[in-house]
PDB file of all heavy atoms in Angstrom:
ATOM      1  N   GLY A 645      73.921 -43.466 -19.191  1.00 92.00           N
ATOM      2  CA  GLY A 645      73.005 -42.372 -19.517  1.00 92.00           C
ATOM      3  C   GLY A 645      72.918 -41.460 -18.314  1.00 92.00           C
ATOM      4  O   GLY A 645      73.838 -41.380 -17.512  1.00 92.00           O
ATOM      5  N   GLY A 646      71.794 -40.765 -18.203  1.00 90.00           N
ATOM      6  CA  GLY A 646      71.534 -39.979 -17.004  1.00 90.00           C
ATOM      7  C   GLY A 646      72.291 -38.673 -16.898  1.00 90.00           C
ATOM      8  O   GLY A 646      72.240 -38.008 -15.876  1.00 90.00           O
ATOM      9  N   TRP A 647      72.990 -38.285 -17.982  1.00 88.00           N
ATOM     10  CA  TRP A 647      73.779 -37.053 -17.848  1.00 88.00           C
ATOM     11  C   TRP A 647      72.917 -35.809 -17.839  1.00 88.00           C
ATOM     12  O   TRP A 647      73.382 -34.740 -17.508  1.00 88.00           O
ATOM     13  CB  TRP A 647      74.837 -36.978 -18.943  1.00 88.00           C
ATOM     14  CG  TRP A 647      74.326 -37.224 -20.328  1.00 88.00           C
ATOM     15  CD1 TRP A 647      73.721 -36.327 -21.138  1.00 88.00           C
ATOM     16  CD2 TRP A 647      74.388 -38.456 -21.058  1.00 88.00           C
ATOM     17  NE1 TRP A 647      73.399 -36.922 -22.323  1.00 88.00           N
ATOM     18  CE2 TRP A 647      73.792 -38.223 -22.312  1.00 88.00           C
ATOM     19  CE3 TRP A 647      74.887 -39.720 -20.772  1.00 88.00           C
ATOM     20  CZ2 TRP A 647      73.682 -39.219 -23.284  1.00 88.00           C
ATOM     21  CZ3 TRP A 647      74.773 -40.702 -21.745  1.00 88.00           C
ATOM     22  CH2 TRP A 647      74.178 -40.449 -22.976  1.00 88.00           C
ATOM     23  N   GLU A 648      71.643 -35.934 -18.187  1.00 85.00           N
ATOM     24  CA  GLU A 648      70.783 -34.753 -18.147  1.00 85.00           C
ATOM     25  C   GLU A 648      69.967 -34.660 -16.865  1.00 85.00           C
ATOM     26  O   GLU A 648      69.163 -33.759 -16.698  1.00 85.00           O
ATOM     27  CB  GLU A 648      69.829 -34.759 -19.354  1.00 85.00           C
ATOM     28  CG  GLU A 648      70.530 -34.323 -20.620  1.00 85.00           C
ATOM     29  CD  GLU A 648      69.651 -34.443 -21.846  1.00 85.00           C
ATOM     30  OE1 GLU A 648      68.418 -34.581 -21.703  1.00 85.00           O
ATOM     31  OE2 GLU A 648      70.208 -34.412 -22.954  1.00 85.00           O
ATOM     32  N   VAL A 649      70.171 -35.622 -15.978  1.00 82.00           N
ATOM     33  CA  VAL A 649      69.366 -35.622 -14.763  1.00 82.00           C
ATOM     34  C   VAL A 649      69.712 -34.440 -13.870  1.00 82.00           C
ATOM     35  O   VAL A 649      68.856 -33.826 -13.263  1.00 82.00           O
ATOM     36  CB  VAL A 649      69.543 -36.956 -14.009  1.00 82.00           C
ATOM     37  CG1 VAL A 649      68.972 -36.866 -12.620  1.00 82.00           C
ATOM     38  CG2 VAL A 649      68.876 -38.071 -14.778  1.00 82.00           C
ATOM     39  N   SER A 650      70.985 -34.111 -13.799  1.00 77.00           N
ATOM     40  CA  SER A 650      71.350 -32.973 -12.967  1.00 77.00           C
ATOM     41  C   SER A 650      72.080 -31.948 -13.807  1.00 77.00           C
ATOM     42  O   SER A 650      72.447 -32.211 -14.942  1.00 77.00           O
ATOM     43  CB  SER A 650      72.224 -33.421 -11.802  1.00 77.00           C
ATOM     44  OG  SER A 650      73.531 -33.659 -12.283  1.00 77.00           O
ATOM     45  N   GLU A 651      72.279 -30.798 -13.212  1.00 70.00           N
ATOM     46  CA  GLU A 651      72.921 -29.707 -13.930  1.00 70.00           C
ATOM     47  C   GLU A 651      74.436 -29.816 -13.889  1.00 70.00           C
ATOM     48  O   GLU A 651      75.136 -28.929 -14.343  1.00 70.00           O
ATOM     49  CB  GLU A 651      72.508 -28.371 -13.301  1.00 70.00           C
ATOM     50  CG  GLU A 651      71.066 -28.012 -13.556  1.00 70.00           C
ATOM     51  CD  GLU A 651      70.816 -27.666 -15.018  1.00 70.00           C
ATOM     52  OE1 GLU A 651      71.500 -26.783 -15.541  1.00 70.00           O
ATOM     53  OE2 GLU A 651      69.949 -28.304 -15.623  1.00 70.00           O
ATOM     54  N   GLU A 652      74.913 -30.876 -13.286  1.00 69.00           N
ATOM     55  CA  GLU A 652      76.358 -30.972 -13.123  1.00 69.00           C
ATOM     56  C   GLU A 652      77.056 -30.954 -14.457  1.00 69.00           C
ATOM     57  O   GLU A 652      76.498 -31.353 -15.471  1.00 69.00           O
ATOM     58  CB  GLU A 652      76.697 -32.273 -12.387  1.00 69.00           C
ATOM     59  CG  GLU A 652      76.568 -32.123 -10.892  1.00 69.00           C
ATOM     60  CD  GLU A 652      76.852 -33.422 -10.200  1.00 69.00           C
ATOM     61  OE1 GLU A 652      77.959 -33.934 -10.379  1.00 69.00           O
ATOM     62  OE2 GLU A 652      75.960 -33.914  -9.493  1.00 69.00           O
ATOM     63  N   PRO A 653      78.319 -30.487 -14.464  1.00 66.00           N
ATOM     64  CA  PRO A 653      79.034 -30.420 -15.740  1.00 66.00           C
ATOM     65  C   PRO A 653      79.220 -31.801 -16.344  1.00 66.00           C
ATOM     66  O   PRO A 653      79.093 -32.818 -15.660  1.00 66.00           O
ATOM     67  CB  PRO A 653      80.382 -29.803 -15.357  1.00 66.00           C
ATOM     68  CG  PRO A 653      80.477 -29.881 -13.888  1.00 66.00           C
ATOM     69  CD  PRO A 653      79.087 -29.933 -13.361  1.00 66.00           C
ATOM     70  N   ARG A 654      79.496 -31.765 -17.633  1.00 71.00           N
ATOM     71  CA  ARG A 654      79.618 -32.997 -18.377  1.00 71.00           C
ATOM     72  C   ARG A 654      80.594 -33.941 -17.705  1.00 71.00           C
ATOM     73  O   ARG A 654      81.666 -33.542 -17.278  1.00 71.00           O
ATOM     74  CB  ARG A 654      80.140 -32.654 -19.770  1.00 71.00           C
ATOM     75  CG  ARG A 654      80.091 -33.787 -20.717  1.00 71.00           C
ATOM     76  CD  ARG A 654      80.001 -33.217 -22.111  1.00 71.00           C
ATOM     77  NE  ARG A 654      80.973 -33.878 -22.965  1.00 71.00           N
ATOM     78  CZ  ARG A 654      81.048 -33.683 -24.263  1.00 71.00           C
ATOM     79  NH1 ARG A 654      80.241 -32.836 -24.835  1.00 71.00           N
ATOM     80  NH2 ARG A 654      81.923 -34.311 -24.991  1.00 71.00           N
ATOM     81  N   GLY A 655      80.217 -35.143 -17.579  1.00 78.00           N
ATOM     82  CA  GLY A 655      81.081 -36.108 -16.924  1.00 78.00           C
ATOM     83  C   GLY A 655      80.300 -37.002 -15.987  1.00 78.00           C
ATOM     84  O   GLY A 655      80.616 -38.173 -15.820  1.00 78.00           O
ATOM     85  N   ARG A 656      79.239 -36.468 -15.373  1.00 86.00           N
ATOM     86  CA  ARG A 656      78.436 -37.310 -14.496  1.00 86.00           C
ATOM     87  C   ARG A 656      77.621 -38.260 -15.338  1.00 86.00           C
ATOM     88  O   ARG A 656      77.003 -37.861 -16.324  1.00 86.00           O
ATOM     89  CB  ARG A 656      77.497 -36.463 -13.638  1.00 86.00           C
ATOM     90  CG  ARG A 656      77.071 -37.139 -12.362  1.00 86.00           C
ATOM     91  CD  ARG A 656      75.700 -36.688 -11.884  1.00 86.00           C
ATOM     92  NE  ARG A 656      74.646 -37.269 -12.687  1.00 86.00           N
ATOM     93  CZ  ARG A 656      74.190 -38.521 -12.518  1.00 86.00           C
ATOM     94  NH1 ARG A 656      74.683 -39.303 -11.599  1.00 86.00           N
ATOM     95  NH2 ARG A 656      73.236 -38.985 -13.309  1.00 86.00           N
ATOM     96  N   LEU A 657      77.647 -39.503 -14.957  1.00 90.00           N
ATOM     97  CA  LEU A 657      76.921 -40.517 -15.711  1.00 90.00           C
ATOM     98  C   LEU A 657      76.248 -41.468 -14.754  1.00 90.00           C
ATOM     99  O   LEU A 657      76.726 -41.677 -13.638  1.00 90.00           O
ATOM    100  CB  LEU A 657      77.890 -41.368 -16.527  1.00 90.00           C
ATOM    101  CG  LEU A 657      78.445 -40.869 -17.851  1.00 90.00           C
ATOM    102  CD1 LEU A 657      79.240 -41.996 -18.478  1.00 90.00           C
ATOM    103  CD2 LEU A 657      77.312 -40.483 -18.765  1.00 90.00           C
ATOM    104  N   SER A 658      75.154 -42.032 -15.220  1.00 91.00           N
ATOM    105  CA  SER A 658      74.612 -43.209 -14.545  1.00 91.00           C
ATOM    106  C   SER A 658      75.008 -44.400 -15.395  1.00 91.00           C
ATOM    107  O   SER A 658      74.732 -44.425 -16.593  1.00 91.00           O
ATOM    108  CB  SER A 658      73.089 -43.131 -14.470  1.00 91.00           C
ATOM    109  OG  SER A 658      72.699 -42.049 -13.660  1.00 91.00           O
ATOM    110  N   LEU A 659      75.668 -45.366 -14.778  1.00 93.00           N
ATOM    111  CA  LEU A 659      76.056 -46.559 -15.526  1.00 93.00           C
ATOM    112  C   LEU A 659      75.376 -47.758 -14.884  1.00 93.00           C
ATOM    113  O   LEU A 659      75.503 -47.975 -13.682  1.00 93.00           O
ATOM    114  CB  LEU A 659      77.575 -46.733 -15.503  1.00 93.00           C
ATOM    115  CG  LEU A 659      78.105 -47.954 -16.261  1.00 93.00           C
ATOM    116  CD1 LEU A 659      77.916 -47.788 -17.750  1.00 93.00           C
ATOM    117  CD2 LEU A 659      79.568 -48.195 -15.936  1.00 93.00           C
ATOM    118  N   TRP A 660      74.652 -48.488 -15.688  1.00 94.00           N
ATOM    119  CA  TRP A 660      73.908 -49.647 -15.206  1.00 94.00           C
ATOM    120  C   TRP A 660      74.446 -50.895 -15.893  1.00 94.00           C
ATOM    121  O   TRP A 660      74.796 -50.854 -17.063  1.00 94.00           O
ATOM    122  CB  TRP A 660      72.418 -49.500 -15.523  1.00 94.00           C
ATOM    123  CG  TRP A 660      71.774 -48.333 -14.847  1.00 94.00           C
ATOM    124  CD1 TRP A 660      71.857 -47.030 -15.222  1.00 94.00           C
ATOM    125  CD2 TRP A 660      70.956 -48.361 -13.679  1.00 94.00           C
ATOM    126  NE1 TRP A 660      71.144 -46.240 -14.357  1.00 94.00           N
ATOM    127  CE2 TRP A 660      70.568 -47.030 -13.399  1.00 94.00           C
ATOM    128  CE3 TRP A 660      70.504 -49.377 -12.832  1.00 94.00           C
ATOM    129  CZ2 TRP A 660      69.767 -46.695 -12.324  1.00 94.00           C
ATOM    130  CZ3 TRP A 660      69.696 -49.050 -11.763  1.00 94.00           C
ATOM    131  CH2 TRP A 660      69.340 -47.713 -11.509  1.00 94.00           C
ATOM    132  N   ALA A 661      74.476 -51.980 -15.152  1.00 93.00           N
ATOM    133  CA  ALA A 661      74.969 -53.209 -15.754  1.00 93.00           C
ATOM    134  C   ALA A 661      74.087 -54.372 -15.312  1.00 93.00           C
ATOM    135  O   ALA A 661      73.454 -54.331 -14.260  1.00 93.00           O
ATOM    136  CB  ALA A 661      76.412 -53.456 -15.361  1.00 93.00           C
ATOM    137  N   VAL A 662      74.050 -55.383 -16.156  1.00 92.00           N
ATOM    138  CA  VAL A 662      73.278 -56.589 -15.859  1.00 92.00           C
ATOM    139  C   VAL A 662      74.263 -57.745 -15.784  1.00 92.00           C
ATOM    140  O   VAL A 662      75.131 -57.873 -16.652  1.00 92.00           O
ATOM    141  CB  VAL A 662      72.246 -56.855 -16.969  1.00 92.00           C
ATOM    142  CG1 VAL A 662      71.494 -58.142 -16.704  1.00 92.00           C
ATOM    143  CG2 VAL A 662      71.304 -55.685 -17.111  1.00 92.00           C
TER     144      VAL A 662
END
Side-chain angles (χ1 to χ4, degrees):
Chain A
W647 50 82
E648 282 175 16
V649 168
S650 77
E651 290 291 305
E652 277 178 59
R654 190 154 132 174
R656 204 209 75 80
L657 280 186
S658 295
L659 180 69
W660 297 78
V662 177

